[in-house]
Amino acid sequence: MILLCLIFLSFFNAKAIEITHGPYLQKAGTNDLAILWHTNKKGFSYIEYGENKLDLISKASIHGQFDANNSFHKIILTDLKPDTKYQYRVLTVDILKMAPYRVIYGDTIKSEIFSFTTQNKVFETFSFCTVNDIHGRSDVLDSLLKVGVKTNPDFYFFNGDMINDFTDENQLFNGFLDVSVKRFASEKPFVYVRGNHETRGSESRNLGAFLHFDDGKYYRAFTHKGVNFIILDSGEDKEDSNKYYYGLADFDSYRSEQEKWLQAYVKTSEYVNAKYRIVLLHMPFISQEFYDGEYVTPSHGIQDSQKKWAPHLKDIDLLVAAHTHEYSFLKVGEDNNQFPILINDDESIVKVEITPKGLKFVVTGTKGNIIDQKFIPKK
């Protein structure tokens, strides 16, 4: 009897279910949007959403079963209207027991009500912000996002090395996810570009389990308000044979895979008919790399990326890169480049505004100080 009482008390005094991280938005398209969040206990999740009231429900269904009994939750809303503001909240039902013929539900946790706006297919002026090389310094990121939020961009890019060698999932939360949710990510999406440091560490192969990538690929393309964005994954900076990779690196063939995809993609109508074309990748196209106080030949990863990809990107309007931890802007032809190259440092945020007349960008430091600003006329 005493044992039954103890079991009964422990059952009902178990830790309450909570939303520990999120929700955060990704894949903001004209008609779809991905919403992700984490809970401290396993449960069954769904989303309530709608234009003026929460009159619609969405659940994730995989192979004939609603996604359940997990603590990471991702639901993709589809069939959304373009250029429309929606309200939403996420809900997770605690699963106390999940047996073959018996499921016991506990409490339901609800987030507050947030909103998002789908994009318009028609070209119009808009802006985005990008940060990079944070390496887990959430205080620096918080300062930069505080600056960025004031400019009200449509979305954000995280252009690689947001964490430093991925060995524990808490690096994602503590390094950039939680502060992103605090500043913007529950109502505006971010697009993640993998850096070379995200390829390192025991958990590096699980990055996609915490974020959303179309078709599960780190390289991809999308169009936002008539502007085409290409995201390339430059991988590691050293040769695959480098001793520190212990025979587990295969980035040369991976970059060749992307070259084949890129060669085909730039022939598509989505790319050809875009008003502007912008490329983001972590490691820049440069002929010299500043390392340890002097200029040296760029690393193998930079050279291999440039050799394989640059010939297919001759007609882009801007390439946005990172990695060097130093800001620079290369005009067309300045370093034998055929397009402008913006390389952001590790303590600045870049806002790019796209207008009918051209691209305007402003680089701002952690204290709101303007580091540089330029205008690139439309071709």
Side-chain angles (χ1 to χ4, degrees):
M1 185 65 179
I2 295 176
L3 180 60
L4 288 175
C5 288
L6 290 173
I7 294 174
F8 179 84
L9 288 173
S10 64
F11 184 79
F12 285 98
N13 287 331
K15 189 175 182 180
I17 191 166
E18 298 176 353
I19 297 174
T20 51
H21 309 285
Y24 48 99
L25 307 184
Q26 299 201 275
K27 188 184 168 61
T30 304
N31 306 108
D32 54 5
L33 178 105
I35 302 178
L36 302 83
W37 71 102
H38 299 251
T39 51
N40 63 332
K41 299 178 67 178
K42 293 182 178 181
F44 167 53
S45 291
Y46 59 99
I47 294 174
E48 295 177 342
Y49 69 104
E51 293 181 53
N52 300 309
K53 56 182 179 179
L54 305 177
D55 56 345
L56 301 171
I57 292 177
S58 181
K59 306 170 186 177
S61 178
I62 303 174
H63 307 306
Q65 295 177 298
F66 286 123
D67 198 16
N69 201 37
N70 50 46
S71 57
F72 169 63
H73 317 278
K74 177 172 71 174
I75 295 177
I76 300 176
L77 302 182
T78 58
D79 299 322
L80 301 172
K81 297 178 183 178
D83 196 25
T84 301
K85 184 175 182 178
Y86 288 88
Q87 299 179 359
Y88 81 93
R89 68 180 174 189
V90 302
L91 304 92
T92 301
V93 185
D94 192 359
I95 294 181
L96 301 176
K97 180 179 180 180
M98 193 167 187
Y101 301 102
R102 182 170 173 79
V103 176
I104 300 176
Y105 293 116
D107 295 332
T108 299
I109 184 70
K110 303 177 181 179
S111 73
E112 62 180 278
I113 296 175
F114 301 101
S115 65
F116 63 86
T117 302
T118 54
Q119 64 150 299
N120 195 333
K121 291 182 179 180
V122 179
F123 173 74
E124 61 183 14
T125 297
F126 74 93
S127 65
F128 65 88
C129 285
T130 179
V131 293
N132 50 268
D133 294 285
I134 297 300
H135 292 279
R137 298 170 299 149
S138 59
D139 55 336
V140 173
L141 179 61
D142 190 38
S143 297
L144 295 175
L145 294 181
K146 184 177 180 180
V147 172
V149 166
K150 292 179 181 178
T151 69
N152 194 31
D154 279 32
F155 59 94
Y156 295 76
F157 282 102
F158 289 162
N159 201 5
D161 286 4
M162 298 298 290
I163 57 174
N164 199 41
D165 306 342
F166 192 14
T167 59
D168 183 272
E169 65 181 42
N170 288 315
Q171 289 175 262
L172 296 178
F173 304 132
N174 299 334
F176 70 90
L177 271 175
D178 288 348
V179 70
S180 300
V181 170
K182 167 189 167 184
R183 289 295 180 187
F184 74 88
S186 294
E187 299 199 323
K188 291 192 177 184
F190 65 85
V191 180
Y192 205 90
V193 183
R194 189 171 70 157
N196 57 303
H197 277 270
E198 280 99 349
T199 70
R200 302 172 185 176
S202 56
E203 293 299 311
S204 61
R205 290 159 179 79
N206 297 325
L207 181 65
F210 299 91
L211 304 168
H212 177 80
F213 299 96
D214 293 338
D215 300 323
K217 294 181 178 179
Y218 297 139
Y219 65 91
R220 58 217 188 273
F222 67 94
T223 298
H224 183 84
K225 294 182 179 177
V227 176
N228 185 253
F229 292 89
I230 292 178
I231 298 146
L232 294 169
D233 183 4
S234 46
E236 262 294 6
D237 54 356
K238 303 174 185 65
E239 293 87 349
D240 289 344
S241 59
N242 188 280
K243 64 180 181 179
Y244 293 113
Y245 302 151
Y246 291 89
L248 298 177
D250 189 30
F251 291 105
D252 282 352
S253 62
Y254 179 54
R255 286 185 285 260
S256 295
E257 173 189 321
Q258 293 179 70
E259 181 187 17
K260 292 179 181 179
W261 169 82
L262 183 62
Q263 193 171 13
Y265 182 75
V266 296
K267 298 175 183 177
T268 64
S269 59
E270 182 178 27
Y271 179 85
V272 172
N273 297 328
K275 294 291 184 181
Y276 293 95
R277 304 173 191 91
I278 299 174
V279 174
L280 288 102
L281 75 170
H282 182 67
M283 295 193 294
F285 296 165
I286 49 178
S287 63
Q288 286 187 315
E289 186 176 6
F290 190 75
Y291 180 77
D292 199 21
E294 60 180 344
Y295 285 96
V296 297
T297 301
S299 63
H300 171 76
I302 290 178
Q303 294 184 65
D304 194 47
S305 298
Q306 186 165 349
K307 176 184 176 181
K308 292 174 178 176
W309 302 339
H312 308 295
L313 298 171
K314 294 177 181 178
D315 56 352
I316 68 170
D317 297 281
L318 178 65
L319 185 142
V320 182
H323 184 64
T324 65
H325 294 203
E326 285 196 328
Y327 169 74
S328 61
F329 176 73
L330 303 176
K331 299 177 182 178
V332 175
E334 190 171 339
D335 192 16
N336 297 319
N337 50 304
Q338 296 178 298
F339 37 79
I341 299 177
L342 190 164
I343 306 172
N344 189 39
D345 65 30
D346 58 341
E347 293 196 351
S348 299
I349 185 168
V350 179
K351 178 189 177 184
V352 180
E353 184 177 7
I354 294 130
T355 75
K357 294 183 178 181
L359 308 178
K360 176 185 177 182
F361 70 82
V362 180
V363 184
T364 308
T366 55
K367 296 181 180 179
N369 52 306
I370 294 178
I371 294 169
D372 194 13
Q373 52 186 328
K374 284 184 172 61
F375 180 76
I376 304 171
K378 184 166 176 46
K379 295 178 181 178

